[in-house]
Amino acid sequence: MLINSRQLLKDCLSKKNAIPAFNIYNLETARAILAVAAHYNSPVILAFGEKYLDHASFSVIHSLVETLANEVPCPVCLHLDHCKNLNNLKAAIDSGFTSVMYDGSLLPLEENISNLRIAADYAVNSDVSLEAELGGMNPETGESIEDKSLLRYTSVEEAVQLTEAVRIDSLAVSIGNAHGLYKDKPKLNFERLAEIESAVRLPLVLHGSTGIPDEQLAKAIKTGICKINVNTELAIVASNEARRILNSKNDVRFETVMLKAEEAIRIAAAPYMDICRNPIVKE
């Protein structure tokens, strides 16, 4: 059964642990993540972005995930990731998604809030959890933003203003994290994270978790991060495994390649499940 993430994230906030959100695109990616979640018997969030609509429709992904979720013992949330189009957000909710993210992070604060109010009204009426984002990060493609003024930490003042203006269930923050691959070792701003957590008292979300050292992820979770997003690493390991098999001299069938890629995703996802369940901070 699919559920929204509202109570799951509240529990994480009180227990100082987190739930991983893994991006999925098709049967193999969804099945890999749910196999890991079932192994740990832990809640998991499957995230599907509006940019993946070329892979499958919202209704297809919902039907696929709902069927698979009924076969595992743990809570499963189907989440719309990084949605900038309110029509897509509504379509995902109508298709059965149980959680949505409206990403107005690159908009002026007033416009972000205005659009979030529309999203919140639609989500609340459908018992769907809503995530917002503040602060500038590079796009989901991993490409850099030419206007560096957009790359900024989440403001405590703006976080308070947004959370007081509109009802949301979680807030994605920018504290030195980035989408895609990091060129240098990331260094999260834990002081800013603690200030935001103290000011808003809401579950916070960390995007761009691929490449962030375990000790920083653990500390972030202990400082208020209740959801970590993972995409790039899973995509890379699956692609590398497929490439390795295709470069072999064996006569390889397509379904064999997909199964091996699925196995690679399971192996890569497991450590994130571990650290969300047991965030041990090493000073």
Side-chain angles (χ1 to χ4, degrees):
M1 178 179 177
L2 295 177
I3 64 171
N4 68 43
S5 64
R6 189 173 296 122
Q7 190 58 51
L8 294 175
L9 293 176
K10 286 181 180 179
D11 291 344
C12 287
L13 187 62
S14 63
K15 296 176 181 177
K16 295 300 181 183
N17 56 21
I19 300 175
F22 299 103
N23 284 68
I24 63 163
Y25 330 104
N26 57 12
L27 170 64
E28 287 77 17
T29 50
R31 194 164 61 178
I33 297 308
L34 289 177
V36 174
H39 174 75
Y40 285 92
N41 195 20
S42 286
V44 72
I45 297 171
L46 275 60
F48 181 82
E50 65 180 353
K51 68 173 185 174
Y52 303 147
L53 285 171
D54 287 342
H55 294 259
S57 67
F58 290 134
S59 58
V60 166
I61 290 297
H62 170 262
S63 297
L64 170 67
V65 172
E66 183 178 50
T67 300
L68 294 174
N70 288 334
E71 299 174 357
V72 298
C74 50
V76 178
C77 174
L78 178 58
H79 176 70
L80 174 62
D81 196 27
H82 284 291
C83 184
K84 296 179 172 66
N85 185 315
L86 287 170
N87 289 329
N88 280 340
L89 183 141
K90 292 176 181 179
I93 292 174
D94 290 344
S95 296
F97 278 57
T98 55
S99 176
V100 292
M101 174 194 185
Y102 175 72
D103 182 357
S105 58
L106 298 183
L107 298 175
L109 179 62
E110 294 75 14
E111 188 176 353
N112 191 0
I113 289 174
S114 177
N115 289 344
L116 275 167
R117 284 188 174 128
I118 298 171
D121 287 343
Y122 208 79
V124 168
N125 290 335
S126 303
D127 195 26
V128 168
S129 47
L130 175 63
E131 176 183 335
E133 182 170 2
L134 274 177
M137 293 172 61
N138 64 308
E140 303 90 281
T141 57
E143 299 173 358
S144 61
I145 295 177
E146 291 184 7
D147 185 355
K148 299 303 180 185
S149 67
L150 296 174
L151 296 171
R152 56 187 177 82
Y153 286 159
T154 301
S155 159
V156 178
E157 293 76 15
E158 289 189 354
V160 170
Q161 188 174 340
L162 184 147
T163 54
E164 289 181 348
V166 59
R167 175 183 171 180
I168 61 173
D169 298 293
S170 59
L171 177 66
V173 295
S174 176
I175 54 168
N177 47 315
H179 294 117
L181 294 174
Y182 293 90
K183 293 183 178 180
D184 301 306
K185 182 179 179 180
K187 186 177 181 181
L188 301 182
N189 188 326
F190 294 105
E191 181 178 355
R192 177 62 59 87
L193 176 60
E195 291 171 349
I196 296 169
E197 193 278 334
S198 177
V200 303
R201 297 296 182 185
L202 275 176
L204 302 178
V205 178
L206 188 72
H207 288 255
S209 295
T210 294
I212 296 178
D214 288 353
E215 63 272 15
Q216 290 194 46
L217 283 179
K219 188 171 182 179
I221 293 169
K222 290 298 186 183
T223 315
I225 292 296
C226 298
K227 170 176 172 270
I228 65 169
N229 284 40
V230 183
N231 178 25
T232 302
E233 181 174 352
L234 305 187
I236 289 175
V237 298
S239 297
N240 286 345
E241 181 63 8
R243 186 177 298 109
R244 183 188 69 80
I245 296 170
L246 291 172
N247 287 337
S248 71
K249 297 180 180 179
N250 299 323
D251 182 15
V252 181
R253 295 175 61 91
F254 179 71
E255 65 268 28
T256 302
V257 176
M258 298 303 289
L259 285 172
K260 289 294 185 180
E262 180 180 330
E263 181 181 358
I265 291 173
R266 290 201 306 269
I267 293 170
Y272 291 100
M273 186 68 75
D274 266 330
I275 202 160
C276 283
R277 288 161 48 93
N278 300 297
I280 300 173
V281 177
K282 297 178 182 179
E283 298 293 348

